[in-house]
């Protein structure tokens, strides 16, 4: 875990998770095993992150987001609240995703 990390209440973190500096994790978040979270990431409350997910730096994830296993999220991505991202999806750097969207295919900017 990097420096300046802020973790909310009732957060479950799996084994082998790497968290970069300056990350903020809201309450009620579940993070699966083997997840990599880059520096400066903001994760809202009640987010579920599956195993083996890779999140680039400076990513903003809204509340109530569900991220399937093996997802790759590039740096500088903004994900609105209530988004569902299917397993294995790749999201390129700089992509902006609105609220309540279901993503089942790769999104490359």
């Amino acid at each position: 875990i990097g420096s300046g990390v802020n973790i909310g209440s009732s957060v479950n973190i799996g084994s082998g998770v790497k968290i970069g500096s300056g990350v903020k994790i809201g309450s009620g978040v579940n993070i699966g095993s083997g997840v990599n979270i880059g520096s400066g990431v903001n994760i809202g409350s009640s987010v579920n992150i599956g195993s083996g997910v890779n999140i680039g730096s400076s990513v903003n994830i809204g509340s109530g987001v569900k991220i399937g296993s093996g997802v790759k999220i590039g740096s500088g991505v903004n994900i609105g609240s209530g988004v569902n991202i299917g397993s294995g999806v790749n999201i390129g750097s700089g992509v902006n995703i609105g609220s309540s969207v279901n993503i089942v295919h790769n999104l490359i900017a």
Side-chain angles (χ1 to χ4, degrees):
I1 296 179
S3 64
V5 173
N6 185 344
I7 299 174
S9 61
S10 300
V11 172
N12 295 310
I13 300 175
S15 62
V17 173
K18 296 178 183 174
I19 301 173
S21 298
V23 171
K24 295 178 183 172
I25 300 172
S27 61
V29 173
N30 292 306
I31 302 173
S33 61
V35 172
N36 286 321
I37 301 172
S39 61
V41 172
N42 293 306
I43 300 172
S45 60
S46 302
V47 171
N48 288 307
I49 301 173
S51 298
V53 171
N54 189 1
I55 301 171
S57 61
S58 302
V59 171
N60 293 303
I61 300 172
S63 296
V65 172
K66 294 178 182 156
I67 301 172
S69 298
V71 169
K72 293 182 174 109
I73 300 171
S75 296
V77 171
N78 292 301
I79 301 171
S81 297
V83 170
N84 292 311
I85 303 172
S87 296
V89 168
N90 291 321
I91 299 174
S93 296
V95 172
N96 291 309
I97 301 168
S99 298
S100 302
V101 175
N102 290 314
I103 300 170
V104 295
H105 297 288
N106 295 341
L107 293 175
I108 306 299

